[in-house]
Amino acid sequence: MRNYGPIGATHLRPIRGGYIQTPGTDTSTYDIDWVAVERAINTPGCRIELNLAEKRAACLLMLQAGYSPREISTQLCVFQRQVERWRHDGKPLVIPPVTLHCTVTGCQDLHRAKGMCSRHYDEARRSASKQVAA
């Protein structure tokens, strides 16, 4: 029995690998919004504007799921030749995340905002609000 996508009775398209999930648990890494990539892949006829890195990631995920270059170019609005280039370029799909540490000397906690860990960021925010109140 074949699985068909939710397009309608007149445009039935078999789902190759079911729902394609993006790697990892982060919603975005660098310039890739993984939520937008997942929606663009899994929603038929969806016209979400993706940047070049997001289109490449979506293309590679769809190739892994068994889609043809023609189907990918139609779904993502890219040229079929570009899909073939991305297939053969050999670059990895996901850039490993860089772990940042607090910039305050002597602190090795992970970065939260503005170069500081959560403790130092909260202290800086509290001292700034006290200065404004005075």
Side-chain angles (χ1 to χ4, degrees), residues 13-132:
R13 178 178 63 81
I15 297 175
R16 300 263 189 256
Y19 189 83
I20 301 173
Q21 290 187 336
T22 56
T25 58
D26 293 336
T27 57
S28 64
T29 53
Y30 297 102
D31 56 346
I32 298 176
D33 180 8
W34 291 109
V35 176
V37 169
E38 197 168 312
R39 286 182 184 160
I41 292 172
N42 295 306
T43 308
C46 183
R47 297 291 179 224
I48 294 177
E49 287 291 325
L50 300 176
N51 64 28
L52 191 62
E54 291 168 344
K55 285 183 182 182
R56 182 183 175 277
C59 172
L60 294 177
L61 287 171
M62 290 178 80
L63 283 169
Q64 289 174 359
Y67 284 87
S68 70
R70 183 174 182 171
E71 292 172 324
I72 295 169
S73 67
T74 304
Q75 180 73 18
L76 300 178
C77 298
V78 294
F79 291 112
Q80 189 170 343
R81 183 177 174 122
Q82 184 63 46
V83 173
E84 294 292 340
R85 285 187 195 126
W86 284 333
R87 177 198 281 182
H88 296 294
D89 71 352
K91 294 180 184 173
L93 175 61
V94 179
I95 301 167
V98 176
T99 55
L100 301 174
H101 295 282
C102 184
T103 56
V104 176
T105 56
C107 182
Q108 291 298 316
D109 292 337
L110 292 177
H111 168 271
R112 176 182 173 206
K114 297 187 178 181
M116 297 176 274
C117 64
S118 59
R119 181 173 49 115
H120 289 115
Y121 177 70
D122 290 339
E123 287 174 5
R125 202 178 61 198
R126 283 189 203 113
S127 66
S129 67
K130 287 178 185 177
Q131 290 174 358
V132 171

